[in-house]
Amino acid sequence: MWIVMVLVLMRAVEIGAKNYTNYQLFLAIPRTPDQLERLKFMVQNTPQVDIWIEPSYVNHKVEFIVSPSYVQKMKFQLSSFEFEYLILNKNIQDAIDEENKDTHQRGSHYTGLWSKSVTDKYATYEEIIDLLKYYQSHYNHVLLDLVGKSWENRDIMAIKFSVGSGKKKIFVECGTHSREWISIASCLKIIKWMATKFRRDSGVTNMLQLYEWIFVPVVNPDGYNYTQETDRMWRKNRKPVTKRCTGTDLNRNYDANWSGLGGCDYTASPVYRGPSPFSEPETLSLAGFIKKEKPYAFFSVHSYSEYVLTPFASTEEKPEDSEELTRLAMQAAAEMEKVNGHRFAAGRIIEFYGMIRGSSVDWAKMKANITYSFVFELRPNRGAMNGFILPKSNIKPSALELFAGLKTFAKGFL
Ligand SMILES: [Zn+2]
């Protein structure tokens, strides 16, 4: 027992990670407009609070973690204003330690076991790039392309799957928000299936015969690296904003009704929108890449809440084909539910989150003229587990859910 504890402590010291011991995960439900405004005031721009699910509407669940020094004050405030609330976890570091087990294990490059081990855990950025290169060198229908460079000069890589020319393209971006590890891991698992199961699995073969598929599994490599080495809960990129603040929320930085509501100007905010649209190398290069590729469909993969969402996020206005998009999203959600019984809800982003400006999905629909633009919010559901922190046993079930959703869309576009 002591040896295990010492080893865990040594690892924490070795990687110098921010420690979340006794950080508590709260779930609160505002039941009146007054409570909603009160909760926003209590959690937004409070340095001791990290919001996981933003307050949006009355009766919608809100989740946030609170640092140990502020827990009593938060409980007191919630009770004083008669909030319905729960503490989902009293020590979020326990969940992080559990999730982190074996993350840095390495297998041999020369066996299938290596590919399996990398896609069964939350792999490092370097492992992911190695795996993409391995697929390119071993499978004829796989090609890598450089999207651009991150602020810290990491490659943002795209992997393309193409069996025959002239097909319409489906584009999937993952890992925009670096703490949403299940997004990256689920996409990587599907990448593995698309690379290794062509002509061996009818579902994969069928998808590849219908479309060319392009995945960008790690849109925000600097942020992802930072979540693994320094702070598990980092969301933004790593470009400095001011002397004291770092990082822009890449999914608030697109040129789609940028500015105004829904992307806080406060530079330390986890949803800071950046100084101008496309101020960040990651969004600028991804937008350029998408314009060059001209995909027929665009998917932005996030976590968590178990949703399949349609544009717009930045305006109450509906796109002309809103009904058709919603119908497809509902079909996808129903198929995803069949995989493991998790219920996915479908609808317009603004109905679930309130107004969000500068998102990639709005930009794809409004500015890149991609008809079919959607967001996935993967597992877990609100209140069900530890939010972004999921044991790696969730990777395969989550990937199967996402793949069921993508397949349903792909068939529905015909
Ligand atoms: Zn996200």
Side-chain angles (χ1 to χ4, degrees), residues 125 149-156 220-226 229-230 234 237-240 246 281-282:
Y125 165 79
K149 293 278 189 178
S150 68
W151 172 255
E152 290 174 353
N153 210 33
R154 290 186 178 84
D155 290 342
I156 302 168
N220 176 12
D222 302 347
Y224 186 54
N225 190 61
Y226 196 75
E229 294 197 341
T230 309
W234 190 257
N237 75 348
R238 291 295 305 160
K239 186 177 146 193
T246 295
E282 295 85 2

Side-chain angles (χ1 to χ4, degrees), residues 54-174:
E54 294 263 354
S56 55
Y57 296 109
V58 168
N59 296 330
H60 284 220
K61 289 172 183 164
V62 177
E63 292 185 20
F64 49 92
I65 54 169
V66 178
S67 69
S69 64
Y70 202 74
V71 163
Q72 285 311 322
K73 187 169 179 193
M74 180 56 74
K75 285 189 194 167
F76 176 76
Q77 287 186 2
L78 289 166
S79 304
S80 310
F81 295 102
E82 297 179 337
F83 275 98
E84 258 176 58
Y85 79 95
L86 276 173
I87 293 172
L88 297 172
N89 189 329
K90 288 189 169 172
N91 181 6
I92 214 68
Q93 186 63 41
D94 281 349
I96 294 174
D97 291 342
E98 181 64 32
E99 176 191 59
N100 233 352
K101 276 184 193 163
D102 309 333
T103 293
H104 295 273
Q105 248 181 22
R106 266 182 175 271
S108 161
H109 276 60
Y110 302 103
T111 65
L113 280 177
W114 175 67
S115 152
K116 178 171 162 45
S117 74
V118 172
T119 61
D120 279 342
K121 66 174 185 177
Y122 298 110
T124 64
Y125 165 79
E126 287 78 15
E127 286 172 323
I128 293 171
I129 298 300
D130 279 357
L131 186 62
L132 302 183
K133 287 179 180 165
Y134 173 88
Y135 290 147
Q136 176 177 244
S137 61
H138 285 75
Y139 298 95
N140 285 334
H141 66 295
V142 179
L143 191 67
L144 299 191
D145 202 349
L146 182 67
V147 173
K149 293 278 189 178
S150 68
W151 172 255
E152 290 174 353
N153 210 33
R154 290 186 178 84
D155 290 342
I156 302 168
M157 296 302 297
I159 183 164
K160 300 176 172 178
F161 301 97
S162 171
V163 298
S165 57
K167 291 184 171 58
K168 289 177 179 171
K169 297 170 183 175
I170 293 184
F171 182 93
V172 186
E173 63 154 4
C174 323

